[in-house]
Amino acid sequence: MFVGLQGSGKTTTCTKYAHYHRKKGFKPSLVCADTFRAGAFDQLKQNATKANIPFYGSYTETDPVVIAQLGVEKFKKEGSDLIIVDTSGRHKQEASLFEEMRQVSEVTKPDLIIFVMDSSIGQAAFDQAQAFKQSVPVGAVIITKMDGHAKGGGALSAVAATKSPVIYLGTGEHMDEFEPFDVKPFVSRLLGMGDWSGFMDKIHDVVPMDQQPELLQKLSEGSFTLRIMYEQFQNILKMGPLNQVFSMIPGFSAELMPKGREKESQARIKKFMVMMDSMTNAELDSTNPKLFSEPSRINRIARGSGHRVQDVQEMIDEYKRLSKVWSKMKGLKIPKKGDMSALSRNMNAQQMSKVLPPQMLKQLGGMGGLQGLMKQMGSKDFGKEFGGAFGDM
Ligand SMILES: Nc1nc2c(ncn2[C@@H]2O[C@H](COP(=O)(O)OP(=O)(O)OP(=O)(O)O)[C@@H](O)[C@H]2O)c(=O)[nH]1
């Protein structure tokens, strides 16, 4: 049974969920117990037809409890092994709708009640999710619209309020834009760091073994020089396929390497490297941003490399941007013997607490609460993956 606020994406998610599980060998079916929103049944019908999934609903019956009961009975008889009941959207101020939801749950006795939540809901998530949990035994959370700008921080609140794990994410309007929840990339996104663990694995493959400890050392110092950028560009040009690698590198992603324009981006990186070839060692090793606002220096680099002043400026801007991202890594504990994959374990709850709004952090029970929550959010693997970072889990 799917529950949630209006417009959170329940109906869309029900079909995605059915489609996903059918591919795994289930025989899913859909019941539309949303009589509140005009057009809800048509929407479900349309989606279900498109996905070729049996559905049940009514244009004449106005009681969702009756529809839900009839639908579930029908599909049980027909041997469906995954009956999905979609309910109307509602929010906690609507007591009668909450009562109705409770009744639907009572007559259908669902094995699992899934709270569907829009990733952009933010701090209201806690109260709303708690209200649902108090009426029906919510057992899991699905976060939708992860393709938007929101990082999904509200998910933490929903998990805290329902004491249930996030199981899937909706990542677009289409049927296939649905994926199992994986805590690592989710946390990385919240922290604004890209997929660090994926990045680390790639570094492991690409950066020569003898350079790895040095790179880690620099990373932990948090100081980013043009020379580091140059070396990373060199490594990146060796890696492939480029776009895939780029999407994982913290900060590099979209701006430096837009999708479908890999060739151009590659040329741009090479251009940057040519300009850096015209720089002095002192410039390459400096971490002082003021150095690069001196016009005479920029003119010299432009002339020396055969580029325009604005090209040099663009390269410096890129450096500043990456430097900012890089500085977030300051203070990372370096794993012994350059064990790159262990590095991701050192991302700590403190970094997380810095990016959460203070009020949300308080609501979650401070650092201790956050640590417990992270454990609860993720699968069993979370403790293993982030074990070093989140204490004893
Ligand atoms: N971009 C994006 N849009 C989504 C996603 N999931 C749902 N939507 C869109 O969100 C809007 C609302 O989705 P619905 O499935 O109708 O929401 P609902 O919760 O059933 O709505 P009510 O029945 O009114 O409560 C639709 O335009 C969907 O296409 C997602 O993961 N990404």
Side-chain angles (χ1 to χ4, degrees), residues 183-203:
V183 77
K184 275 196 295 175
F186 182 82
V187 170
S188 299
R189 176 176 161 130
L190 257 183
L191 296 172
M193 296 196 298
D195 180 357
W196 268 98
S197 55
F199 176 52
M200 289 304 161
D201 291 345
K202 265 283 189 260
I203 290 192

Side-chain angles (χ1 to χ4, degrees), residues 112-175:
L112 178 64
I113 299 183
I114 299 178
F115 178 65
V116 178
M117 196 192 93
D118 180 332
S119 65
S120 66
I121 174 171
Q123 303 206 5
F126 190 89
D127 288 347
Q128 290 294 346
Q130 195 174 40
F132 278 86
K133 177 76 177 187
Q134 279 163 357
S135 288
V136 290
V138 171
V141 177
I142 292 182
I143 316 282
T144 63
K145 308 184 194 179
M146 284 300 286
D147 48 315
H149 287 299
K151 290 177 178 168
L156 290 170
S157 303
V159 169
T162 60
K163 305 203 170 19
S164 312
V166 181
I167 51 171
Y168 292 96
L169 299 177
T171 56
E173 297 193 44
H174 297 111
M175 194 96 66

Side-chain angles (χ1 to χ4, degrees), residues 170-318:
T171 56
E173 297 193 44
H174 297 111
M175 194 96 66
D176 282 318
E177 289 168 324
F178 186 70
E179 51 194 62
F181 175 77
D182 182 0
V183 77
K184 275 196 295 175
F186 182 82
V187 170
S188 299
R189 176 176 161 130
L190 257 183
L191 296 172
M193 296 196 298
D195 180 357
W196 268 98
S197 55
F199 176 52
M200 289 304 161
D201 291 345
K202 265 283 189 260
I203 290 192
H204 199 44
D205 292 344
V206 173
V207 178
M209 267 307 271
D210 56 335
Q211 284 181 24
Q212 288 182 13
E214 201 189 322
L215 179 62
L216 283 178
Q217 183 62 39
K218 286 177 188 160
L219 202 58
S220 74
E221 286 164 7
S223 47
F224 188 69
T225 62
L226 278 154
R227 192 184 299 283
I228 299 178
M229 180 159 100
Y230 190 94
E231 285 165 0
Q232 293 326 302
F233 280 169
Q234 256 175 340
N235 287 329
I236 284 155
L237 290 178
K238 273 187 246 160
M239 292 192 245
L242 266 176
N243 54 349
Q244 186 204 334
V245 175
F246 263 89
S247 67
M248 288 191 302
I249 297 179
F252 277 71
S253 62
E255 284 162 65
L256 194 61
M257 184 73 83
K259 251 192 191 154
R261 290 169 52 194
E262 289 78 10
K263 266 219 170 94
E264 251 173 276
S265 309
Q266 215 168 339
R268 189 160 164 255
I269 290 174
K270 283 183 184 154
K271 189 172 87 178
F272 287 166
M273 291 172 79
V274 171
M275 291 186 251
M276 284 189 264
D277 283 334
S278 282
M279 297 177 105
T280 63
N281 280 337
E283 284 164 349
L284 288 173
D285 293 321
S286 167
T287 50
N288 175 12
K290 283 204 189 98
L291 197 71
F292 306 115
S293 49
E294 295 170 17
S296 61
R297 222 178 266 279
I298 294 184
N299 281 329
R300 196 207 76 233
I301 299 166
R303 259 199 324 277
S305 64
H307 285 91
R308 295 171 307 172
V309 167
Q310 58 260 49
D311 292 330
V312 180
Q313 198 55 57
E314 189 191 327
M315 184 264 292
I316 306 273
D317 288 347
E318 194 55 47

